Amino acid sequence: MTGAVETPLPSTADGSRSRDLLAQVVVRCMECGRRDDGTASRTSCANCGGLLDVVVPLDRQVTPDDLGKDLPETARHSGVWRYWPLLPHLPGDAIVSRWEGNTALYRDDRLARYAGLTDGSLQLKHEGQNPTGSFKDRGMTVGVSHAKAIGARIVACASTGNTSASLASYAAAAGMASLVLVPATKIATGKLAQTVAYGATVVQIDGDFDRALALLRELTAAYDVYLVNSVNPFRLEGQKTIIFEMLEQRGWEAPDWITLPGGNLGNTAAFGKAIAELHQVGLIDRMPRLAVIQAEGAAPFAAYHASGFEEYEPVEADTVATAIKIGDPASTPRARRSIEVTNGWVTTVSDAEILDAKAAIDRAGIGCEPASAASLAGLRRLTREGVVRPDESAVALLTGNILKDPDAVTAYHFDDIDGEPRPGANRPIRVAAELSALERVLSDALHG
Ligand SMILES: *Cc1c(COP(=O)(O)O)cnc(C)c1O
Ligand SMILES: [Zn+2]
């Protein structure tokens, strides 16, 4: 673990106002309690190397009427910044927003039955509807705005693809340079395409995500480069708003469960913090339980949970769900806190269960990328195991857009397994360019 890198602040008149605001932001180490202000880029405690939290002053009640008001002009359309009373107050002229958030909360009873719940009990929060197609944009607006506020010249991340796509877009919006490290193989086509198109400097390394992040942390410790991976506490502040917005859409009525895929565990960390804060300011009177779902081949947090949080062991990760192909999640201690605070649960699903759940979500006309489907696959498993009761309510988080990983879709529908198409495979039908051939297809479509 490494210490803070001090970034010089801009010295303009505006800069000194920025400095005043940033000096009031509090960042605290979750291990030793050391406090710093928000004037520098910090991703671990200078004393003990522990993970950091932004401390938002929550000394008064917040009501629904307090939201979306008195926002800086730059933040007016954002589904993140409307929760201003529950976020760190960055200088308005530094805010970089691309109208993120404002995503749909769908009800779907076919998928409720798939999950083993009664009709009306399941909703899906679709974070694939963010500007770059994943929830990463919610954290990125806060991370990149903080980077801009402190005068950073270059922002960087290690990524399985979605963080890099989001960073590249927000850095472009801010007029800043961006540097991303991705694994040389197994990055989904859509994600790599976005990152390149938005103009980031893309470095493919011969190693996995965990190696890329470790390498980048060495670089950012030694050079004046702003790190926006989810070890950055400002990013997690933005991701809290998934919970805020979902609960606002439900009239501040908490579901019994929230299920989400667990990779680097940034969302898990952010969600526990969000729920605790909403409870503290009186916006909810009952806490939902978090259920974190990991892929079987990338499940160090599930094993840690199963040991009663006694034994933690990183793994070499392997799964088709590349966004959660992470063997040593950086936010593990914060995620543990989230599970403890919300009386939550952690489980695993196989790649086959993930792909099956994804096909069900896709067929419902909703669609998502593979990692997202872990939340539905995991819910199905938890109702079967009796952890979740059929009459309980749940919100499943869909983290990314179906178009992120088109190869996963075509492989599922077009490739044989054991010489046979998968049950439910939907293949285009090639016919002669004649009306009679088309009539046969129409008849099959209506009756078959
Ligand atoms: C980043 C990501 C995840 C994993 O989220 P963590 O916060 O790292 O646990 C899951 N799904 C998608 C689509 C992602 O982009
Ligand atoms: Zn510390």
Side-chain angles (χ1 to χ4, degrees), residues 134-136 162 239 261-267 323-324 369 371-372 399-400:
S134 83
F135 74 82
K136 299 299 196 300
N162 278 335
Q239 290 173 210
N264 215 21
L265 301 175
N267 255 347
I324 52 174
E369 67 164 282
S372 308
T399 44

